[in-house]
Amino acid sequence: GQSLEQPSEVTAVEGAIVQINCTYQTSGFYGLSWYQQHDGGAPTFLSYNGLDGLEETGRFSSFLSRSDSYGYLLLQELQMKDSASYFCAPKGTGGFKTIFGAGTRLFVKA
Amino acid sequence: NAGVTQTPKFQVLKTGQSMTLQCAQDMNHNSMYWYRQDPGMGLRLIYYSASEGTTDKGEVPNGYNVSRLNKREFSLRLESAAPSQTSVYFCASSEGISLNTEAFFGQGTRLTVV
């Protein structure tokens, strides 16, 4: 079967670092994507990990461990505009479709 | 630079009515998707089309049909709308379903069934 687990909510202060964890189970696995969605908006792509390790894109980094079926998104130097929902989305075989979970709602406080 | 365009943006239907949600992309992408998003449920895949001429069911296909009209367009049809289909619907596209490629989303259709 397929499953995804992310924390439902995370709260952090402006300027801090926050890590959003994701564990997944899919029928086959290609890689793990992360998307950001602001209230009322469409999801937008943040990063993709096809291999184990850390990928860095500016203030955001994403990590993958295939052996642990685990990944995380790291947001540094948090800004108020980072308040949004963050979705991990594993891409698996069996149709190669990308599955999204319920997401993690991040609240950034001043 | 339109990307993925969905129409309409808002719609109210009565139970039992039918309608078609339209989606078009101008990025020459092979793969297209329809998701629905309900509060606290994240995005759930309804149907997808890996390439022109093919469609497959996702997680929640019941009550929906799709048509991949051509490479650009992928429509979602509700034959007999039900209140449980009240949701925000997102169309997305990506270059290739088996490649490391990001999905681009439309701005969504907010559908209410009364």
Side-chain angles (χ1 to χ4, degrees):
Chain A
Q2 300 185 66
S3 66
L4 267 179
E5 283 190 25
Q6 291 180 244
S8 58
E9 284 186 10
V10 173
T11 301
V13 297
E14 208 173 5
I17 299 172
V18 71
Q19 179 173 312
I20 299 173
N21 297 320
C22 171
T23 57
Y24 60 85
Q25 181 179 347
T26 65
S27 52
F29 181 77
Y30 275 102
L32 188 69
S33 298
W34 289 91
Y35 287 79
Q36 178 191 60
Q37 185 181 30
H38 287 99
D39 284 349
T44 56
F45 175 81
L46 289 177
S47 68
Y48 176 82
N49 293 72
L51 302 173
D52 283 0
L54 194 68
E55 293 282 343
E56 297 181 67
T57 309
R59 294 187 297 114
F60 295 179
S61 302
S62 57
F63 173 83
L64 176 66
S65 169
R66 285 172 168 266
S67 59
D68 296 323
S69 297
Y70 165 76
Y72 66 73
L73 180 69
L74 191 73
L75 296 85
Q76 302 181 73
E77 301 172 18
L78 280 174
Q79 302 175 9
M80 298 298 288
K81 68 179 182 180
D82 297 330
S83 292
S85 292
Y86 292 85
F87 297 89
C88 68
K91 179 170 285 187
T93 55
F96 309 105
K97 47 192 179 290
T98 296
I99 302 298
F100 290 79
T104 298
R105 183 72 181 246
L106 172 64
F107 297 94
V108 180
K109 303 188 300 184
Chain B
N1 222 22
V4 179
T5 303
Q6 289 182 235
T7 55
K9 288 185 170 50
F10 299 93
Q11 183 72 50
V12 178
L13 289 179
K14 293 183 179 178
T15 298
Q17 285 186 315
S18 62
M19 79 161 294
T20 300
L21 281 63
Q22 307 287 351
C23 175
Q25 52 91 7
D26 63 1
M27 295 171 283
N28 202 36
H29 284 169
N30 288 312
S31 304
M32 298 186 73
Y33 317 78
W34 276 104
Y35 291 90
R36 62 176 287 174
Q37 186 172 36
D38 304 300
M41 296 291 291
L43 291 152
R44 292 185 292 171
L45 184 64
I46 306 171
Y47 271 93
Y48 66 101
S49 171
S51 61
E52 185 179 357
T54 69
T55 60
D56 284 287
K57 295 178 180 179
E59 303 166 81
V60 288
N62 291 345
Y64 305 95
N65 285 300
V66 290
S67 295
R68 183 74 183 266
L69 304 168
N70 47 55
K71 193 171 186 179
R72 290 187 64 248
E73 298 173 286
F74 189 39
S75 62
L76 178 72
R77 182 160 179 84
L78 287 71
E79 291 290 352
S80 178
S84 60
Q85 294 178 304
T86 293
S87 188
V88 180
Y89 291 84
F90 287 100
C91 176
S93 71
S94 66
E95 187 175 310
I97 211 163
S98 61
L99 300 175
N100 166 21
T101 55
E102 65 179 281
F104 293 82
F105 284 80
Q107 287 305 304
T109 296
R110 283 150 182 80
L111 175 67
T112 301
V113 183
V114 297

